[in-house]
Amino acid sequence: MKGLSKDRLWSIAVLTPSIILIAVFVYGFIARSVYVSMTDWGNDPAQALALNPIIRFTGFANYQDLFTGFLQGRFRQELVSTIFFTLFFILGCLGLGLGLALILDRNPRGEGLWRTIFLFPMSLSFIVTGTIWRWMLQPQGGLNQAPTLFGAPPSTFAWLSSTDAIWKFDWNKLPLLTASVVGLVLVVMAVRAARSGDRTRTLVAGACAALLFLWALLIGPNIKMLPAPELHGFNFALIGIIIAAVWQMSGYTMALYLAGLRGIPEELREAAKVDGANDIGMYQHVIFPLLAPITLSAMIVLGHISLKIFDLVYAMAGPDNINTSVPALNMYLTSFRQNQFALGAAIGTILLILVAFVIVPYLSSQFRTEEGHA
Amino acid sequence: MKKALLLAAALAVTTSASAAGKLEIFSWWSGDEGPALEALIKLYKQKYPAVTVDNATVSGGAGTNAKAVLKTRMLGGTPPDSFQAHAGQELIGTWVVAGRMEDLSSLFKSEGWDKVFPKDLVKLISQGGKPWSVPVNVHRSNVMWYNPAKLKAWGVTAPKTWPEFLKTCSTLKAKGVAAPLVVGENWTQQHLWESVMIGTLGSANWENLWAGKLKFTDPKVVGAFTTFGKVMDCANKDASGLSWQQASDRIIDGTSAFNVMGDWAAGYFTTTKKLAPNTGFGWAPAPGTTKTFVMLADSFGLPKGAKDRAEAINWLKVLGSKAGQDAFNPLKGSIAARTDSDLSKYNTYSKSAAADWKSNKIVGSMVHGAVAPESFTSAFGAIIDQFVASKNSAAAAAAAQQLAVRAGISK
């Protein structure tokens, strides 16, 4: 019994409770939610809250309803909004955070104070941030009054209540759009593989891209998901929420970048200077490449925050504003106000899959590097 | 050891309390409405001094938080002894159809409530011929508020029908009023929709709509949607950023001429804004709804499996009594559901509403849960939002019809 030393027994004994708890309360409940999402629980109001509800298994009917159902246009707009929100939120936080970190890295006077000021918003909850920014973005107040300080007429931009949108596309074209985007990524992969001389990879990626494009051109346009065109786009009312979210989280990316910048050994900078690099060159060829892993981890953290965002939107625009709504909000309303538990579980499952898209590749890459070190 | 003793002591205290009688009242009446609830509890305690009353209030507008807590408790098998719900389908469509409420027919008979509550009201709180809740107060949803001095300055009067409203709207627009009508966030738009529907279709058709006898896709309803679209063209563009109070403020400051809102606005105007009725603010039934009282009510029901059933029934008796309703309503700013209430206790607006309550045709409000279950009302908001953006009446009507089928209203 060499494998069961006292230490080992101890560690097993200590870990077992948490393993069991996680198995039940995380994975068990995920499995339960996925199961519920494939039933009709709540579609019949009389059964939703009954003592012993009759629940039937309906397969993917709820998912089909969400993506192609006549009544679920709100959910589709939310998916589109989430994608735009995530994109601008991450770009905003990374850009602003990096900018602030670069400024602070030059050791300005009162650096500690500035660092605290920029990091402070992160200590607030999204509800507080949302309430503050809701005041600031009122139609007749806050930000819209700012131009009057310089004698200009007040702005009339409807920060949170605009119903205008840009970059609209028809939901029926979604298969076509998705195929084109994935195809383009595959083409890029093929070109890269060809450059590094990996022949099989080039061929596989190229063939997949060609197949996708063929499908997109020949079959894609004939798929009709909805009876009528349904336009979804980037709504202007989201801009206000993105600003608030960036305000809250850019301090966090600043802290990450600052730590990264401070972690770059002075010798490297000196060596670059000796080799004749000017400031721009040094940032471009020495510092930014070293910050790449930090950008990745910041993107992961920000990405899953933005996909799950709920409280900020609830506080800023209210639960019933479809122009600014997000899937998490819809899940809450569907499950706990409309008592449509199965449909709510389906939205939750879709959110889980979206977050998994962000987290799993990161986890697996982390895992791989750890194995490599060991 | 010490802990165990403490625990035993705590248990002893609770058991002794339950021996003397206990009652848990679950509501969302906090803040402004708190004193009104306190008045009711005081009345209850005078009658049943031995009972310990546990006021379990969960704050949050229109009960959004309270309803979520209630669901958890009901599903968890620990229902409160009596809980607040909007009278009508909000309670019936959620809890009665699930078989979790007790019917109150015998209570209505023994207390003689069938005679003092208007027939239309009893119909709204009944399902299968049995009443399910005791209405405590009544609010009117179809009121159009205006600023009398401003209307005089503009030279217009409160319109009586929706076509007349549209004419007044273009007159006002010509005079430079950018938004003659003010609306706020989504639910206030649903609130307006309901007044436009009743004003255009008439109260009988409105009742048919919720009885499933008139389809949303009927040309009449589609036409009413079109009217609603035209009415919305008179409204402000920054609606979704405004609360109903902020929308009401625009009537006072003269940015807009009209606002359709429930009669809690009267309380806001008199108490918060210190305005006198008839001079500081004026009101009329929403266009096309003269002689119709669109009502919503807060009510209490009796869940199956309530721990202190006898005390809860006594509580319901207090709620439905003349003394209970007269203690509660002047403080809450609503009127009594009973037709025999003491009008001297009420303010000018409430007196006029109470007079209408006795004489008008009573129908239920959709957005405040009287005629449609939560599953309909909550999802209907998205249809209104889409309609306001697209102004496509046929599509909105078709979507509403699908929703009605899903919610079990129509087939």
Side-chain angles (χ1 to χ4, degrees), chain B residues 81-103:
Chain B
D81 295 327
S82 183
F83 65 83
Q84 179 189 5
H86 283 133
Q89 286 299 322
E90 190 174 296
L91 178 79
I92 293 168
T94 309
W95 296 115
V96 175
V97 291
R100 287 181 179 257
M101 303 301 291
E102 286 194 37
D103 98 75

Side-chain angles (χ1 to χ4, degrees), chain A residues 49 138 161 322 336 339-340, chain B residues 71 100 240 246 385 406:
Chain A
L49 296 163
Q138 280 294 304
S161 49
I322 60 167
F336 301 112
N339 304 326
Q340 303 234 25
Chain B
K71 249 164 237 175
R100 287 181 179 257
S240 59
Q246 286 169 318
D385 260 0
R406 199 182 73 181

Side-chain angles (χ1 to χ4, degrees), chain B residues 270-291:
Chain B
T270 47
T271 316
T272 313
K273 291 280 155 183
K274 311 270 180 253
L275 295 168
N278 285 326
T279 53
F281 66 97
W283 66 89
T289 64
T290 325
K291 294 277 148 213

Side-chain angles (χ1 to χ4, degrees), chain A residues 320-342:
Chain A
D320 291 321
N321 190 345
I322 60 167
N323 294 313
T324 55
S325 187
V326 288
L329 201 52
N330 193 350
M331 177 185 76
Y332 171 74
L333 296 180
T334 309
S335 320
F336 301 112
R337 227 190 257 177
Q338 299 170 27
N339 304 326
Q340 303 234 25
F341 300 114

Side-chain angles (χ1 to χ4, degrees), chain B residues 249-304:
Chain B
D249 286 344
R250 295 203 181 169
I251 302 298
I252 305 306
D253 65 23
T255 321
S256 292
F258 304 108
N259 179 23
V260 174
M261 186 35 61
D263 53 13
W264 42 91
Y268 177 70
F269 288 137
T270 47
T271 316
T272 313
K273 291 280 155 183
K274 311 270 180 253
L275 295 168
N278 285 326
T279 53
F281 66 97
W283 66 89
T289 64
T290 325
K291 294 277 148 213
T292 305
F293 192 111
V294 185
M295 76 110 214
L296 55 129
D298 290 305
S299 69
F300 279 80
L302 184 62
K304 274 184 190 163

Side-chain angles (χ1 to χ4, degrees), chain B residues 9-356:
Chain B
L11 273 175
V13 168
T14 41
T15 38
S16 71
S18 74
K22 217 174 67 176
L23 170 72
E24 189 190 12
I25 302 159
F26 186 92
S27 77
W28 60 79
W29 282 327
S30 59
D32 296 346
E33 295 150 331
L37 178 63
E38 284 300 326
L40 270 177
I41 292 176
K42 212 172 125 198
L43 199 70
Y44 180 82
K45 276 187 172 162
Q46 276 169 12
K47 284 195 174 167
Y48 310 97
V51 179
T52 323
V53 178
D54 179 6
N55 178 4
T57 302
V58 178
S59 61
T64 40
N65 304 332
K67 283 178 205 162
V69 176
L70 178 69
K71 249 164 237 175
T72 318
R73 291 194 52 179
M74 294 285 271
L75 291 178
T78 51
D81 295 327
S82 183
F83 65 83
Q84 179 189 5
H86 283 133
Q89 286 299 322
E90 190 174 296
L91 178 79
I92 293 168
T94 309
W95 296 115
V96 175
V97 291
R100 287 181 179 257
M101 303 301 291
E102 286 194 37
D103 98 75
L104 302 174
S105 319
S106 56
L107 195 61
F108 268 65
K109 211 166 274 160
S110 69
E111 298 293 304
W113 288 339
D114 289 322
K115 291 174 200 80
V116 288
F117 291 141
K119 274 207 174 53
D120 290 334
L121 170 66
V122 177
K123 206 168 93 191
L124 279 170
I125 56 173
S126 302
Q127 173 101 330
K130 293 167 187 159
W132 297 94
S133 62
V134 182
V136 189
N137 63 346
V138 168
H139 276 295
R140 187 178 195 173
S141 120
N142 60 325
V143 192
M144 188 168 71
W145 306 92
Y146 54 85
N147 184 337
K150 279 281 170 187
L151 286 203
K152 213 172 200 181
W154 283 317
V156 293
T157 50
K160 293 266 184 293
T161 63
W162 284 109
E164 202 182 317
F165 174 89
L166 293 174
K167 245 181 256 157
T168 312
C169 165
S170 46
T171 316
L172 285 169
K173 273 190 174 170
K175 290 192 176 169
V177 184
L181 178 74
V182 60
V183 288
E185 54 190 315
N186 186 290
W187 73 263
T188 69
Q189 295 169 32
Q190 294 185 55
H191 191 113
L192 173 69
W193 174 86
E194 141 181 318
S195 278
V196 174
M197 279 287 151
I198 300 170
T200 314
L201 295 172
S203 52
N205 276 328
W206 176 252
E207 282 178 334
N208 288 340
L209 200 58
W210 303 108
K213 287 182 207 149
L214 178 69
K215 282 199 159 77
F216 279 90
T217 42
D218 189 282
K220 278 187 287 224
V221 185
V222 178
F225 259 107
T226 310
T227 309
F228 174 62
K230 286 182 193 154
V231 170
M232 281 302 283
D233 284 336
C234 295
N236 51 323
K237 297 283 170 263
D238 56 354
S240 59
L242 299 182
S243 65
W244 70 264
Q245 289 98 333
Q246 286 169 318
S248 304
D249 286 344
R250 295 203 181 169
I251 302 298
I252 305 306
D253 65 23
T255 321
S256 292
F258 304 108
N259 179 23
V260 174
M261 186 35 61
D263 53 13
W264 42 91
Y268 177 70
F269 288 137
T270 47
T271 316
T272 313
K273 291 280 155 183
K274 311 270 180 253
L275 295 168
N278 285 326
T279 53
F281 66 97
W283 66 89
T289 64
T290 325
K291 294 277 148 213
T292 305
F293 192 111
V294 185
M295 76 110 214
L296 55 129
D298 290 305
S299 69
F300 279 80
L302 184 62
K304 274 184 190 163
K307 267 201 302 266
D308 312 286
R309 193 170 173 276
E311 283 82 5
I313 288 177
N314 285 339
W315 165 249
L316 293 179
K317 282 181 186 162
V318 170
L319 292 183
S321 70
K322 185 164 179 295
Q325 304 221 331
D326 281 345
F328 180 84
N329 286 301
L331 289 172
K332 165 86 161 77
S334 46
I335 60 168
R338 293 172 70 107
T339 45
D340 59 353
S341 63
D342 179 6
L343 285 183
S344 66
K345 291 184 173 169
Y346 293 89
N347 62 29
T348 318
Y349 168 77
S350 296
K351 275 179 192 154
S352 90
D356 287 347

Side-chain angles (χ1 to χ4, degrees), chain A residues 278-316:
Chain A
N278 57 359
D279 265 7
I280 296 173
M282 186 160 72
Y283 278 115
Q284 198 181 343
H285 298 294
V286 179
I287 294 179
F288 287 157
L290 285 170
L291 291 180
I294 291 178
T295 308
L296 183 71
S297 34
M299 277 172 73
I300 303 298
V301 172
L302 296 174
H304 87 266
I305 288 179
S306 90
L307 289 173
K308 305 187 300 196
I309 199 147
F310 169 91
D311 31 10
L312 184 71
V313 182
Y314 194 106
M316 285 186 79

